[in-house]
Amino acid sequence: RLADLGAHASAAVPTLRLLAGALEPWTAVEAAHALHTITGDAAEGAHVLFRPVADLLRGTARPIVRAAARYLTRLADLPPGYVATIQAVLSEDRRHSWDAGWAAIHDDLELRAVLRTAPHGPVGAAG
């Protein structure tokens, strides 16, 4: 909710910086998103938003990756290493999902669609 307030929530920035370092992934990602939205600085929390996406290359997919990917694609300029990782995720043949059955296909397709909207031009191929 702090992210919705934008710069009006600037007093919460020190607390959000602490929360972005939380071990609980949802807390860390939501705090990182709020930090970026409030400060306008991509360096504020971008590495936290990127972590769940990078985990996909290690075969670890969690529900938080969808939110992290959405927030990450809102950043104006992604570092080249992030773009390369997103391209690698999109080029993998495996399904990136935390569910089984038909839900795995849906999760993967939705995640790939989000990641294709990342800055720096078109990334990835058909999922």
Side-chain angles (χ1 to χ4, degrees):
R1 298 199 188 272
L2 286 173
D4 294 338
L5 296 175
H8 297 292
S10 60
V13 167
T15 302
L16 289 170
R17 285 184 180 132
L18 290 173
L19 290 172
L23 295 177
E24 203 287 311
W26 282 100
T27 300
V29 165
E30 291 298 334
H33 164 62
L35 268 173
H36 170 257
T37 303
I38 292 166
T39 65
D41 183 2
E44 289 279 12
H47 64 286
V48 176
L49 299 176
F50 179 69
R51 195 175 312 136
V53 175
D55 285 347
L56 293 172
L57 292 178
R58 291 186 282 282
T60 304
R62 294 177 291 210
I64 189 64
V65 72
R66 195 172 11 206
R70 275 194 197 98
Y71 298 149
L72 193 63
T73 60
R74 294 177 187 169
L75 301 181
D77 196 24
L78 295 178
Y82 287 20
V83 174
T85 298
I86 290 170
Q87 289 173 337
V89 167
L90 289 170
S91 68
E92 280 194 320
D93 289 336
R94 78 173 139 200
R95 294 278 181 207
H96 300 292
S97 176
W98 42 94
D99 287 319
W102 69 268
I105 297 169
H106 178 267
D107 293 341
D108 181 65
L109 292 174
E110 184 178 350
L111 179 62
R112 288 173 186 272
V114 170
L115 289 174
R116 282 190 197 99
T117 67
H120 280 316
V123 290

